[in-house]
Amino acid sequence: MDPAPNPPGVAVSVRDLRLALPLGGDRPNAVDGVSFDLMAGEILCIVGESGSGKSMCAHALMGLLPKAVTVASGSIRLGDTDLLAQDAAGWRDTRGRRIAMVFQEPMTALNPLMRIGDQMAEMFEAHGLLTPPERRARAVALAREVGLPDPEGIVRSYPHQLSGGQRQRAMIAMALALEPAILVADEPTTALDVTTQAQILKLIRDLQRRRNMAVLFITHDFGVVTDIADRVLVLRQGRVVEEGPAAALLGAPREAYTQALLAAVPAMNPPARTPTEGPKTIEVAGLSKTYVTGGGWWRKPRTVAAARDVSFALRRGETLGLVGESGSGKSSVARLVMRLIEPDLGSVRLGDTELTRLNGEALRRARSRIQMVFQDPFASLNPRRTVGQIITDGPVAHGVSLSDARGRAVRLLGLVGLDMRAFERFPHEFSGGQRQRIGIARALALEPEVLVADEAVSALDVSVQAQVLALLEDLKVRFGLSMLFITHDLRVAAQICDRIAVMRRGEIVELKTAADLFANPEHPYTRDLLAAVPGRAREAA
Amino acid sequence: MAGFIAQRLAKGVLVLAAIVVLNFFLIRLAPGDPALVMAGEAGATDEIFVTQLRTKFALDKPLPSQLAAYLGSIATLDLGYSVRQQMPVATLIGERLPATLLLTGCAFLISIVLGVLLGALAAGRAGTLADTAITGLALLFYATPLFWVSLMAIIVFSVRLEWLPSFGFETVGAGYSGFARAADIAQHLVLPALTLGLFFMAVYVRMTRASMLEVSRLDFVKTARAKGLTEGVIQRRHILRNALLPVVTLAGLQAGTLVGGAVLTETVFAWPGIGRLMYDALLQRDYNLLLGVFVVSSAMVLIFNLVTDVVYRMVDPRIEVAR
């Protein structure tokens, strides 16, 4: 071990870090010989796709690696200590006081049974600092510093009473409590809506400047990198691909891999599209749905409008995007269109049939005409059925003979770019992108007229995302499908949609062609959404 | 909160009334005629005597009017008169209830305290020898029939070792009073309370352990570690507290059986409790007494369900108590 302390300006220096995975994995090391310096007062972004080892690097800094992952070699030097050489007590002293961490999921990263203020106070308690009343006072001050509304009230609330953005602010406040020199942020904005994401990114930026902290920021999103990074490190399969100042690396990447990643990021300017003039496949008129929760003998129920007077038409061969933030009602509208939930008011016409009036057998038959591709490629396929069974089940249920269904399934597997041998295998043997292809083949097996894609590419890495989007586009043209494309990602919507409907609180606030929407957003909310999309600076340049 | 409790109590009364009506018809469905049983025990098969018995206890009236009369008396908190024991039902139950509550209450405490403690211990040392020993023991108690454990306990601790009395509530005829009597009852209590408690303890051990292991994988535990908290604080404050939620649910269910759930144990240890009273009443077609026990135990279940919901609301701020 090199006993020399870090040179001035270097907050943390990672040297030749090698993290071993348990035997039998797809590779021996999660992180394989990674070295980098985190400078005081800078934000270093580690970027990579899933499985690149970026999150492992972050956790290694905190000594919070999963039990199965072991440090094979290397050093992490903070001041004059090698973090990897310290004992459990040493780690406890480091965590929170010298290095603090903010996690990805603000929904689950806070203890649901403890008040926010108590969880902040724990930070001081863990290191034996201050008296309980002082800790409470500091918690309020911290809540104020991260811009939480009503700091005195919010420290007494429980996590479930806060929004996602507020919880992440609380997490950041907690991390800053002991004024650590280093903040590790592991995808801190991935689970947030774009407008909230923009606010949190600004908050991290401001706090970092004010306190002159070093921030290690882990993300998969190049838009976020553009907005926040001083320096960038690109990881692939546990190895450093490229490292450099943000402007230089994003402007002129040297390595082919970085170039490919950047090229896969969907652009904000929609490609020119010819308007479709086909017949209307789906016509939705005055659709409303209100959820009522709670309410009892003496209590007023809480109502949430999932859809308010939603009307639109979807033409043959057209892709209509439904975009909005979480809770805007876009998924509810998709479910209403498929009649997976019953509307309170309004009608859905599918071609010449009134879908909202059908029942029993007629509804069951009509269902095959609209099919859905789901968000989560891991949860949406039955793990105990082979891919072949998953694809043929639908047609067989609708009366297609097994041999015909099989033939169709094999053809579809080819069309979505999978090997015929996939037929006999189980979903867990495939990657996320491949599973999404299986999901698409499953939907197409019923020869639908309409494909409803609910955040169908949101869980995928950018490069895979680009491939699946291209596949959807190709299949749409080939089968003359109409597509209802639900997404929170405006970049994705720009690339695949002919027209886009922006939703807020159950209402469509603006509906026009993609090109027009991005060029001339009229509604203030649409403008806010567009302004919040990360990484716009790179495109403007 | 007060509104919620009042509302639940009002609903509880309705549920109780429904239970009474149901039970009333249910026990009338069972074959057997109380008048005939009584006449048989008196050694008489005389038709006139049987008719007299029927008239005396209003068994000759149509069922609906019997029901109306019964509901009316229940509404005034009068549980009726046991024709077999020649005593008011309320008195009979009142005599037996303390013994049962003492037994089941102690068993309840033993099972929860030991169960959660051992479960937490096992979860904290998951995969080690201690963990295997604890879960193995729990499985043993869970899988072994209660009466067998009771009998074995009697053989070992009463017959062989002569440490503890094998049956009864207290030493009959010893004439203890005050402290000495309490000590005597406590000695008698040990074996039945332990055997009854060990079964539920096994359930709590397994549940606490599984629940803690599940919670320990959640994100907020990592957050707690990232603060630099010690492992003990993390286990107690963050993992155990969250893991106790399902245990509370189970404890609520078990609390509901506090009155009527110890028939087996009471029989083996000759414990003078409600369970044996109920069993005897069943064999003797003592309708009023049987219904009385049903009403009291149903009321207990309703009350403990309410208590569970209130406790749940206190330990989990996310819950808006179900209406």
Side-chain angles (χ1 to χ4, degrees):
Chain A
M1 290 289 138
D2 176 9
N6 288 334
V10 176
V12 175
S13 113
V14 175
R15 282 293 167 269
D16 195 31
L17 185 64
R18 204 164 258 119
L19 303 174
L21 287 168
L23 293 174
D26 59 339
R27 60 176 201 254
N29 292 314
V31 169
D32 197 358
V34 167
S35 302
F36 62 86
D37 287 330
L38 178 61
M39 311 299 282
E42 76 161 359
I43 298 184
L44 172 64
C45 270
I46 299 190
V47 203
E49 299 194 289
S50 44
S52 61
K54 57 188 190 301
S55 200
M56 289 289 175
C57 288
H59 284 80
L61 246 65
M62 290 293 285
L64 288 175
L65 289 169
K67 278 208 180 85
V69 178
T70 47
V71 178
S73 68
S75 68
I76 299 176
R77 190 160 286 285
L78 169 65
D80 50 5
T81 36
D82 179 5
L83 296 183
L84 296 179
Q86 63 189 350
D87 58 2
W91 269 122
R92 277 202 299 277
D93 185 52
T94 308
R95 289 178 196 146
R97 200 174 60 79
R98 305 178 74 183
I99 309 182
M101 189 161 178
V102 178
F103 298 94
Q104 174 170 0
E105 278 288 345
M107 295 297 165
T108 53
L110 290 161
N111 185 339
L113 304 186
M114 275 176 84
R115 293 177 198 275
I116 298 288
D118 292 342
Q119 302 197 39
M120 291 183 185
E122 259 195 333
M123 215 68 190
F124 301 102
E125 188 201 328
H127 297 273
L129 301 168
L130 307 181
T131 62
E134 286 170 341
R135 289 173 194 160
R136 274 195 292 281
R138 283 291 294 140
V140 174
L142 283 165
R144 186 170 291 122
E145 184 174 1
V146 295
L148 280 167
D150 180 22
E152 278 90 3
I154 219 148
V155 292
R156 283 195 304 274
S157 344
Y158 289 99
H160 71 278
Q161 294 165 319
L162 274 60
S163 71
Q166 287 174 336
R167 287 186 219 192
Q168 202 60 302
R169 280 175 196 270
M171 282 296 292
I172 292 170
M174 213 183 288
L176 297 178
L178 303 181
E179 312 198 346
I182 295 138
L183 179 70
V184 178
D186 186 6
E187 304 253 13
T189 59
T190 306
L192 304 174
D193 285 322
V194 272
T195 48
T196 319
Q197 167 170 282
Q199 292 163 10
I200 296 289
L201 287 179
K202 185 172 176 309
L203 175 70
I204 293 178
R205 198 36 151 170
D206 290 349
L207 289 168
Q208 179 264 335
R209 290 215 179 108
R210 205 180 310 153
R211 299 186 165 204
N212 199 31
M213 278 187 304
V215 177
L216 186 69
F217 195 105
I218 312 293
T219 183
H220 69 283
D221 186 336
F222 271 102
V224 171
V225 176
T226 312
D227 285 359
I228 201 161
D230 294 318
R231 222 149 45 82
V232 183
L233 184 83
V234 182
L235 273 191
R236 183 195 193 185
Q237 305 227 317
R239 290 204 177 88
V240 178
V241 173
E242 180 166 6
E243 187 193 347
L249 189 136
L250 296 171
R254 292 187 307 272
E255 298 295 323
Y257 178 69
T258 317
Q259 288 163 5
L261 272 188
L262 279 167
V265 177
M268 282 286 276
N269 53 327
R273 288 172 176 273
T274 44
T276 36
E277 290 302 331
K280 289 175 180 169
T281 344
I282 282 193
E283 206 170 352
V284 172
L287 213 52
S288 292
K289 173 80 183 174
T290 309
Y291 286 109
V292 182
T293 51
W297 291 2
W298 295 303
R299 206 188 280 238
K300 252 181 79 176
R302 209 168 63 93
T303 59
V304 177
R308 274 194 286 190
D309 197 18
V310 169
S311 302
F312 60 82
L314 180 61
R315 291 178 184 280
R316 190 176 148 88
E318 183 188 41
T319 300
L320 176 68
L322 282 179
V323 301
E325 299 190 291
S326 49
S328 62
K330 51 193 194 303
S331 282
S332 293
V333 168
R335 295 208 161 84
L336 285 168
V337 168
M338 296 189 68
R339 230 186 125 190
L340 292 175
I341 48 177
E342 297 293 326
D344 298 334
L345 276 177
S347 71
V348 177
R349 282 184 72 82
L350 176 59
D352 47 5
T353 42
E354 187 78 33
L355 196 64
T356 29
R357 291 245 183 86
L358 294 184
N359 268 314
E361 181 59 24
L363 175 63
R364 212 173 69 81
R365 266 186 280 116
R367 280 244 162 91
S368 70
R369 297 166 64 185
I370 310 185
Q371 284 300 309
M372 194 157 185
V373 180
F374 297 91
Q375 170 168 10
D376 188 340
F378 293 85
S380 59
L381 299 174
N382 186 338
R384 303 209 185 279
R385 298 189 61 80
T386 63
V387 170
Q389 285 170 329
I390 287 168
I391 300 176
T392 53
D393 274 349
V396 169
H398 282 273
V400 176
S401 77
L402 192 58
S403 56
D404 286 357
R406 282 195 178 172
R408 197 188 283 177
V410 171
R411 272 202 311 285
L412 281 168
L413 280 178
L415 270 178
V416 298
L418 288 174
D419 199 293
M420 243 192 66
R421 276 171 301 179
F423 199 85
E424 296 298 333
R425 291 163 66 189
F426 286 93
H428 70 262
E429 300 173 58
F430 297 89
S431 68
Q434 287 172 325
R435 283 187 220 204
Q436 209 55 313
R437 290 169 188 269
I438 296 169
I440 293 168
R442 184 202 58 77
L444 291 178
L446 286 159
E447 302 182 332
E449 296 156 46
V450 182
L451 206 57
V452 176
D454 189 357
E455 301 276 8
V457 297
S458 305
L460 306 175
D461 283 324
V462 273
S463 57
V464 184
Q465 191 176 58
Q467 294 162 12
V468 173
L469 283 177
L471 173 68
L472 281 171
E473 185 82 61
D474 172 53
L475 292 172
K476 185 187 84 170
V477 175
R478 194 188 289 253
F479 292 104
L481 294 171
S482 306
M483 194 149 57
L484 194 58
F485 196 93
I486 292 119
T487 183
H488 69 281
D489 188 334
L490 285 157
R491 291 174 174 277
V492 169
Q495 291 314 303
I496 195 159
C497 298
D498 296 299
R499 287 188 303 145
I500 296 178
V502 179
M503 288 198 69
R504 186 184 58 168
R505 286 186 224 131
E507 265 180 313
I508 293 184
V509 296
E510 191 161 0
L511 170 57
K512 49 179 157 184
T513 63
D516 199 15
L517 188 91
F518 279 83
N520 314 300
E522 278 170 61
H523 197 279
Y525 180 67
T526 313
R527 286 191 206 144
D528 286 350
L529 271 188
L530 287 172
V533 173
R536 298 206 66 175
R538 195 165 70 87
E539 259 130 307
Chain B
M1 192 66 151
F4 159 74
I5 293 175
Q7 176 187 337
R8 281 290 299 267
L9 282 177
K11 278 184 184 171
V13 170
L14 289 180
V15 172
L16 197 60
I19 291 173
V20 169
V21 172
L22 252 173
N23 281 339
F24 182 85
F25 286 110
L26 207 62
I27 60 171
R28 288 314 194 267
L29 283 179
D33 179 348
L36 276 181
V37 175
M38 275 185 274
E41 281 185 10
T45 47
D46 187 354
E47 193 60 37
I48 299 168
F49 180 60
V50 173
T51 318
Q52 275 175 348
L53 279 176
R54 288 212 174 99
T55 326
K56 184 178 173 193
F57 299 116
L59 292 167
D60 54 344
K61 300 233 178 70
L63 268 187
S65 63
Q66 283 187 40
L67 172 64
Y70 189 70
L71 280 179
S73 58
I74 290 274
T76 56
L77 295 180
D78 174 13
L79 292 177
Y81 194 79
S82 163
V83 293
R84 293 280 322 164
Q85 318 254 6
Q86 297 290 319
M87 255 206 265
V89 169
T91 316
L92 276 169
I93 293 178
E95 274 175 3
R96 299 290 195 100
L97 199 58
T100 288
L101 287 183
L102 182 67
L103 170 62
T104 51
C106 283
F108 184 64
L109 284 181
I110 290 171
S111 57
I112 283 208
V113 172
L114 278 184
V116 168
L117 220 68
L118 289 177
L121 215 66
R125 293 163 178 68
T128 63
L129 198 66
D131 174 34
T132 316
I134 291 173
T135 42
L137 205 68
L139 189 65
L140 189 74
F141 283 123
Y142 184 70
T144 320
L146 206 58
F147 69 87
W148 190 83
V149 176
S150 315
L151 291 175
M152 288 306 120
I154 289 176
I155 290 178
V156 174
F157 295 105
S158 304
V159 180
R160 290 287 157 90
L161 297 173
E162 292 183 28
W163 286 355
L164 294 162
S166 63
F167 69 90
F169 180 73
E170 55 191 321
T171 314
V172 181
Y176 294 128
S177 63
F179 228 49
R181 180 163 184 245
D184 182 44
I185 294 177
Q187 273 200 359
H188 282 81
L189 184 63
V190 173
L191 281 186
L194 265 184
T195 42
L196 186 60
L198 284 179
F199 173 78
F200 280 104
M201 181 206 80
V203 182
Y204 290 120
V205 166
R206 297 183 69 78
M207 184 157 238
T208 306
R209 178 181 179 274
S211 179
M212 278 186 74
L213 288 180
E214 203 176 301
V215 171
S216 66
R217 281 192 288 270
L218 297 182
D219 288 350
F220 62 80
V221 177
K222 201 159 71 177
T223 308
R225 271 206 185 99
K227 289 176 182 173
L229 288 169
T230 58
E231 203 54 30
V233 174
I234 295 173
Q235 290 281 340
R236 275 198 313 278
R237 194 182 293 164
H238 290 277
I239 301 180
L240 184 59
R241 258 204 77 191
N242 278 278
L244 280 183
L245 298 178
V247 175
V248 171
T249 311
L250 192 73
L253 284 177
Q254 194 205 338
T257 67
L258 279 180
V259 173
V263 183
L264 216 60
T265 319
E266 288 182 0
T267 310
V268 174
F269 289 99
W271 191 262
I274 292 277
R276 273 177 61 216
L277 186 68
M278 178 168 70
Y279 185 66
D280 292 342
L282 185 69
L283 290 184
Q284 294 163 346
R285 299 292 184 280
D286 195 343
Y287 289 162
N288 274 347
L289 181 52
L290 206 50
L291 273 175
V293 175
F294 283 169
V295 170
V296 171
S297 38
S298 310
M300 285 292 198
V301 171
L302 289 170
I303 289 171
F304 280 117
N305 276 347
L306 177 58
V307 171
T308 312
D309 283 351
V310 172
V311 169
Y312 222 103
R313 189 185 168 129
M314 288 193 297
V315 293
D316 189 348
R318 286 166 298 181
I319 305 265
E320 285 188 51
V321 176
R323 272 154 291 249

